[in-house]
Amino acid sequence: MSEETRVFRTAAVIPAAGRGVRLGPGAPKALRTLNGTPMLIHAVRAMAASRAVSLVVVVAPPDGAAEVKNLLAEHALPERTDFVVVPGGETRQESVRLGLDALPQGIDVVLVHDAARPLVPVDTVDAVIEAVRDGAPAVVPALPLADTVKEVEPRADGTPEPVLATPDRSRLRAVQTPQGFDHATLVRAHESVTGDVTDDASMVERLGLKVVVVPGHEEAFKVTRPLDLVLAEAVLARRRANDGF
């Protein structure tokens, strides 16, 4: 079968085991609600909105798999997509690895998506998948930076921090998710890369492989602080008004 006619199977892994401390006390961040629906459900629907995604694996808090399974059962999800819930680990990296372990044979493309990015448009998801299908081992959606960035010497005591450099903003990008990977490449990265990493793409970088960028979207922002919740609600309200979503 040629690459032109090959059918690629795609799965999404959503690590949702974090507590979301910056959002304050209460439920884990992924279970906070937007317009009455948990962020996790919005994120799952965002992945399942792509017709290329046949499976979504949700990595739940270590003691919360049953709760997350019940949550998925309570909300309408696309029937064409399968959903699996597995307990996560102590770190995001461990949780993603456990999600990879749950994938069946035959998966070619893997998306790793933050549950805290509930509003990523399907066009962005499809662009990431297409770039992996075209041969990139790892793909990240990203946006140019609007602000000037300074490299500083960190000070833990709260005193003013000296500026060390001003990087060329035109060469910098703010990375989003879903990040897309050739399945075998991502598994190899998780088997061989140790230590702290900020995202899965940086693990592939450490293998010496190329990571490419596709355009991200302003609505794929990460809900981290209370103000982000307000912005997410506003985006949902605009979608309902414009699209009946």
Side-chain angles (χ1 to χ4, degrees):
M1 182 180 294
S2 69
E3 286 297 316
E4 287 76 13
T5 59
R6 178 183 172 188
V7 177
F8 290 80
R9 292 190 64 201
T10 300
V13 174
I14 303 180
R19 298 297 305 180
V21 175
R22 280 175 288 181
L23 279 176
K29 177 163 51 177
L31 302 185
R32 303 293 179 91
T33 61
L34 294 176
N35 191 32
T37 301
M39 279 201 294
L40 176 59
I41 297 300
H42 287 288
V44 168
R45 286 173 174 166
M47 295 300 98
S50 171
R51 293 188 174 274
V53 175
S54 59
L55 171 67
V56 176
V57 177
V58 178
V59 187
D63 58 351
E67 180 183 1
V68 171
K69 287 180 182 178
N70 291 336
L71 196 67
L72 294 181
E74 292 170 0
H75 291 83
L77 300 171
E79 293 184 359
R80 68 173 181 273
T81 308
D82 293 327
F83 302 93
V84 174
V85 178
V86 297
E90 294 300 319
T91 65
R92 183 185 184 281
Q93 186 172 344
E94 184 181 357
S95 291
V96 173
R97 181 182 59 78
L98 291 169
L100 290 174
D101 290 344
L103 296 180
Q105 295 291 325
I107 295 297
D108 302 289
V109 179
V110 180
L111 304 177
V112 181
H113 183 59
D114 294 334
R117 297 183 189 270
L119 304 178
V120 56
V122 68
D123 288 350
T124 301
V125 180
D126 287 339
V128 171
I129 294 170
E130 189 63 29
V132 179
R133 288 177 170 179
D134 286 343
V139 180
V140 296
L143 293 175
L145 297 183
D147 299 319
T148 297
V149 175
K150 301 290 185 182
E151 180 185 355
V152 303
E153 180 182 320
R155 294 286 176 86
D157 59 5
T159 59
E161 299 174 330
V163 171
L164 301 178
T166 303
D168 180 359
R169 188 176 66 187
S170 68
R171 296 172 59 88
L172 302 177
R173 298 293 183 269
V175 173
Q176 302 175 325
T177 69
Q179 298 185 355
F181 304 90
D182 167 72
H183 185 190
T185 298
L186 185 58
V187 169
R188 180 157 68 95
H190 274 267
E191 289 175 344
S192 58
V193 175
T194 59
D196 293 334
V197 291
T198 56
D199 65 357
D200 295 274
S202 60
M203 299 176 71
V204 175
E205 290 176 47
R206 292 191 188 184
L207 296 179
L209 300 176
K210 180 183 291 187
V211 178
V212 301
V213 172
V214 297
H217 196 281
E218 61 183 5
E219 292 181 2
F221 61 90
K222 191 172 186 178
V223 177
T224 303
R225 295 170 292 268
L227 184 59
D228 299 326
L229 286 170
V230 176
L231 178 58
E233 292 278 8
V235 170
L236 285 174
R238 182 186 57 77
R239 288 182 179 181
R240 289 195 303 273
N242 292 346
D243 307 322
F245 174 79

